[in-house]
Amino acid sequence: MALGATPTPRQTYLHYPTGVGAYEWGGGIGLTLDILSTRLVESEQRFVPRLTGAFRYGFPAGFSLEATLDAIVLVNELRMGLLWSIDTGPVAWALHDRLGLWFGYIGVDGFDTHAVGLVQYPGASVGTIIAGHHLSLAFEVILVHAQRVDFGDASVSRVNTGYGGFSLRLLLESPVGPGVLYYGATFFQASPDYQLWLAFSDGRRKLQFVRFHLGYEF
Amino acid sequence: MRRTGWIIALLAATACGSGVWEMPVFPDGGLLKGAAVLPDPSAKFLEALFRIEGSTSTFGDLVASRARDGGVSFFGSGNKAYSVLRPGCVDDAGTLVLEGYWRNATGGRTGLIRLFVEPPEAAVALCRGEEPVDPVGLRGAWGSGGDLPDQPLHLAWESPLKQPNPPFRVVAHRGGCRTMDQCGASENSLEVIRIAGSLGADAIEIDAQLTADGVPILYHDLSFSDRLVEGVYCLGPVSEFPLAHVRALCKLEYGEQVPTLDDALRVIVEETSLVAVWIDIKTPDAIAGCVAATNRWRARAEALGRQVRFVHGLYSDEMVDAWLRSDLPSDAVCLVELDPKDVRGAGCEVWAPRWTRGPMGSKVKRVQESGRTVAFWTLDEQEFIDVVLTDARPNAICTNRPGLVFQRFQMVGESPWGPNP
């Protein structure tokens, strides 16, 4: 680096385990699309698209703070969490714990319903860099702590911790211009009612579905 | 390449198939093999609320029992467990035994149950077709999977069942249960209609639409797909398949035929004790055919001395308009899922709101006092069932968990406000 030149800021990555350094931050916007099978959600294939915004801020010693907001009115979720990461050469590792507050409203014909819930997502991720592309694989457990549904003039609340399933996400972050394009998919095996409580039955069998991710980080 | 290979393998390993539930049975027919049939009137004396002593984590504290179509079923709230048993008299009618299976409706747990009626004097009286002097209890055991029952179970008589007036009806969704609920038969099949009573239903809801040659058949989705049917050439809009092709190409998940509405109404009238059927008509062009079928089977029911109410479900403005435009017999009974004003406007007798609108207690009471009945759909969760039963006091609830709704009504329900029978 030439003396006096402005250093080029290091590119940040929202999803790669060691994607932000100390006191660095990154943000991103994107889309997610859940595809739910007809075997589990009745007569038609259900596509659930959501807008998503994410933020990550790095602290010393590998820690970083994360926040994500997914929104489509019907179901929205604000997640905040803490992540600790370490680089071990060819791969980077991270442990995280996130808390999600989800909330939704259905006011279409036949519904007069609000719902909120509190979900925890502890997990771990591993990543590696291939030709400049940051590949990461993240595993999360879904713990459901509380749910409340207001339907018309009545409401029902539940407060207890239950295992809601798990998810496995494979994501690639590729530098594009000044930012990063990310794309990937998450496989879920989760209780039908861990989220989208109103749309599904009371079955205890785990629901298998896929969520696709596409977005841009800056 | 190798790196992505293990990821794909891991995903495949976690994606287990849905399978179908198989009812466990006693080897060699159990004690019921060769047992004498319990006289019909005696089964009614086994209907009660029983307190479970031991094994409450599986069955709950209190179970409600019901006798239907030659069997006796027990319904608990714990884990949504239910048991379907058949009674028989053995030891020269000195012992009354009930054998069958139990099942957790929302999970995969199942097993065998064997219970004996006590005291012995009560068993003798029941096997003779007489009323027992004292309330009955049941003692025996339950097991897991196909294993013989080995865990003690005691059902102590708690109280008689509520007899609401006007009556409250449990309506089983899709003929008894949905295919995904794995109750042992496919939704909208003749087989599920035959077991609906033993699952806790007083009445059933079924879905009807037309084949390409104009025959009303039972099927929920507007297209055949692997969600409900098997058959390589059974894919696509139902309305494009003539009945002969449906019969030849399509099998329901448990291997049953897709039934015609006439087949289904015959089974309801001739083979079950169901008191009502709610026919959810899926398309306007099916209205006339459905009403014609119910007319035929209403006449047959009357000839048999059976009281069966045939209700035609209209779920949208389009369906209500089509109903009003149709030239139908004046005594055809209809149900509207929209608002009470739509029910009045269509001249229908039943209002069927979706439960997600809330219990709407005062509105329900007004509708009932106007001489119409109210049936909420489709409620499966205990907390919501309890709220609707206590706040709305409906005439019926349509559910995928008929046994649970029956048990909850016995626990917290009250008679509807009206209409008087």
Side-chain angles (χ1 to χ4, degrees):
Chain A
M1 184 188 302
L3 191 65
T6 306
T8 304
R10 191 177 83 92
Q11 183 59 59
T12 57
Y13 294 86
L14 293 177
H15 303 285
Y16 191 73
T18 52
V20 293
Y23 309 115
E24 291 179 335
W25 69 274
I29 54 170
L31 290 167
T32 65
L33 179 68
D34 291 2
I35 299 182
L36 310 170
S37 104
T38 53
R39 278 191 172 270
L40 294 151
V41 287
E42 303 288 291
S43 56
E44 74 277 8
Q45 188 99 5
R46 294 206 184 185
F47 298 92
V48 184
R50 284 196 274 193
L51 289 171
T52 182
F55 176 80
R56 186 173 174 189
Y57 184 79
F59 292 104
F63 287 95
S64 57
L65 191 69
E66 304 172 305
T68 308
L69 178 67
D70 294 327
I72 53 161
V73 182
L74 175 68
V75 179
N76 315 281
E77 185 176 29
L78 175 65
R79 289 191 196 194
M80 296 190 73
L82 194 63
L83 181 145
W84 174 78
S85 63
I86 185 167
D87 202 332
T88 59
V91 293
W93 305 86
L95 296 172
H96 67 257
D97 196 4
R98 297 168 180 141
L99 207 56
L101 176 71
W102 67 266
F103 46 100
Y105 169 65
I106 310 177
V108 297
D109 198 24
F111 287 89
D112 178 12
T113 315
H114 298 79
V116 295
L118 191 64
V119 184
Q120 187 182 357
Y121 304 92
S125 58
V126 58
T128 190
I129 301 171
I130 305 168
H133 302 281
H134 289 58
L135 180 70
S136 59
L137 181 70
F139 174 82
E140 274 184 346
V141 172
I142 299 166
L143 300 174
V144 180
H145 291 301
Q147 293 172 319
R148 176 191 166 95
V149 172
D150 296 318
F151 59 118
D153 49 353
S155 65
V156 165
S157 300
R158 295 170 177 172
V159 180
N160 57 1
T161 299
Y163 172 66
F166 71 85
S167 70
L168 196 62
R169 187 193 67 200
L170 185 66
L171 203 105
L172 199 63
E173 293 172 284
S174 303
V176 174
V180 170
L181 185 69
Y182 71 84
Y183 41 95
T186 305
F187 170 80
F188 283 85
Q189 173 139 317
S191 297
D193 65 351
Y194 101 85
Q195 243 191 24
L196 290 173
W197 187 14
L198 297 167
F200 298 106
S201 76
D202 60 341
R204 294 289 179 270
R205 280 174 295 146
K206 298 294 184 265
L207 175 75
Q208 293 158 5
F209 65 97
V210 178
R211 173 175 299 165
F212 291 101
H213 307 263
L214 176 66
Y216 188 74
E217 301 168 6
F218 46 83
Chain B
M1 193 68 184
R2 187 174 296 173
R3 197 175 299 179
T4 53
W6 69 261
I7 293 166
I8 292 165
L10 182 60
L11 291 176
T14 54
C16 54
S18 59
V20 291
W21 173 72
E22 288 185 19
M23 181 195 308
V25 293
F26 280 88
D28 302 324
L31 298 180
L32 289 183
K33 187 179 180 184
V37 175
L38 182 70
D40 248 3
S42 292
K44 281 283 170 197
F45 297 113
L46 296 173
E47 290 189 332
L49 205 57
F50 291 96
R51 182 167 294 282
I52 296 268
E53 294 177 0
S55 306
T56 54
S57 62
T58 298
F59 300 102
D61 295 330
L62 288 162
V63 296
S65 67
R66 242 177 51 141
R68 286 289 186 282
D69 306 328
V72 182
S73 302
F74 296 83
F75 305 107
S77 57
N79 292 322
K80 301 180 181 176
Y82 64 87
S83 315
V84 179
L85 310 177
R86 297 199 82 78
C89 296
V90 295
D91 299 338
D92 293 329
T95 301
L96 176 51
V97 62
L98 293 92
E99 285 185 343
Y101 68 89
W102 68 273
R103 183 171 176 265
N104 171 326
T106 55
R109 298 180 64 213
T110 189
L112 295 167
I113 285 197
R114 176 179 286 152
L115 296 170
F116 295 93
V117 170
E118 58 180 24
E121 302 77 33
V124 170
L126 289 169
C127 285
R128 287 181 185 154
E130 299 167 1
E131 182 175 355
V133 176
D134 298 312
V136 299
L138 296 140
R139 193 179 292 277
W142 63 285
S144 293
D147 297 343
L148 285 174
D150 59 355
Q151 302 184 63
L153 182 62
H154 180 210
L155 281 67
W157 195 90
E158 178 78 10
S159 64
L161 295 183
K162 289 176 183 170
Q163 303 294 340
N165 186 24
F168 170 78
R169 303 298 191 196
V170 181
V171 182
H173 193 214
R174 311 250 175 106
C177 82
R178 294 167 302 181
T179 300
M180 67 184 290
D181 293 321
Q182 301 197 358
C183 69
S186 303
E187 67 185 53
N188 283 312
S189 67
L190 301 183
E191 287 72 8
V192 84
I193 292 170
R194 290 188 179 105
I195 64 172
S198 68
L199 298 177
D202 302 301
I204 56 170
E205 181 264 6
I206 53 178
D207 303 286
Q209 55 187 306
L210 293 184
T211 58
D213 46 348
V215 181
I217 60 167
L218 266 56
Y219 198 76
H220 178 268
D221 301 356
L222 292 179
S223 287
F224 289 120
S225 74
D226 65 355
R227 189 180 84 80
L228 294 175
V229 288
E230 293 175 349
V232 176
Y233 301 104
C234 187
L235 287 171
V238 172
S239 60
E240 293 180 3
F241 284 72
L243 180 63
H245 286 198
V246 175
R247 287 262 156 90
L249 303 176
C250 305
K251 285 275 187 288
L252 296 171
E253 194 78 8
Y254 279 78
E256 310 96 327
Q257 289 270 10
V258 176
T260 65
L261 179 58
D262 273 298
D263 292 337
L265 297 180
R266 181 191 62 73
V267 168
I268 292 165
V269 169
E270 296 184 349
E271 298 183 31
T272 75
S273 55
L274 296 167
V275 298
V277 53
W278 163 358
I279 302 159
D280 190 6
I281 307 174
K282 308 308 282 188
T283 54
D285 60 358
I287 289 174
C290 290
V291 173
T294 56
N295 271 346
R296 285 192 289 278
W297 290 100
R298 187 171 53 189
R300 174 67 176 154
E302 286 167 3
L304 293 172
R306 289 262 288 116
Q307 295 273 329
V308 183
R309 196 170 188 219
F310 299 87
V311 180
H312 305 86
L314 311 171
Y315 64 85
S316 67
D317 289 324
E318 183 191 13
M319 292 297 296
V320 170
D321 291 343
W323 178 269
L324 290 171
R325 283 198 310 271
S326 303
D327 182 21
L328 301 171
S330 59
D331 54 357
V333 177
C334 56
L335 166 157
V336 172
E337 297 178 10
L338 307 171
D339 285 313
K341 65 177 170 50
D342 301 305
V343 182
R344 288 193 301 273
C348 293
E349 290 82 351
V350 187
W351 178 40
R354 191 195 280 258
W355 69 268
T356 44
R357 296 173 67 173
M360 303 176 286
S362 55
K363 192 180 275 190
V364 168
K365 187 178 181 186
R366 281 199 303 275
V367 172
Q368 291 173 331
E369 287 174 345
S370 75
R372 294 180 171 87
T373 54
V374 180
F376 279 82
W377 65 280
T378 296
L379 272 154
D380 298 339
E381 302 259 6
Q382 179 174 324
E383 297 95 324
F384 297 100
I385 293 166
D386 286 359
V387 169
V388 169
L389 283 173
T390 53
D391 290 5
R393 297 173 63 167
N395 302 87
I397 287 179
C398 181
T399 177
N400 297 300
R401 311 277 176 246
L404 178 67
V405 172
F406 174 74
Q407 196 264 3
R408 297 319 299 165
F409 181 84
Q410 292 300 325
M411 299 300 294
V412 304
E414 293 182 67
S415 296
W417 296 110
N420 291 318

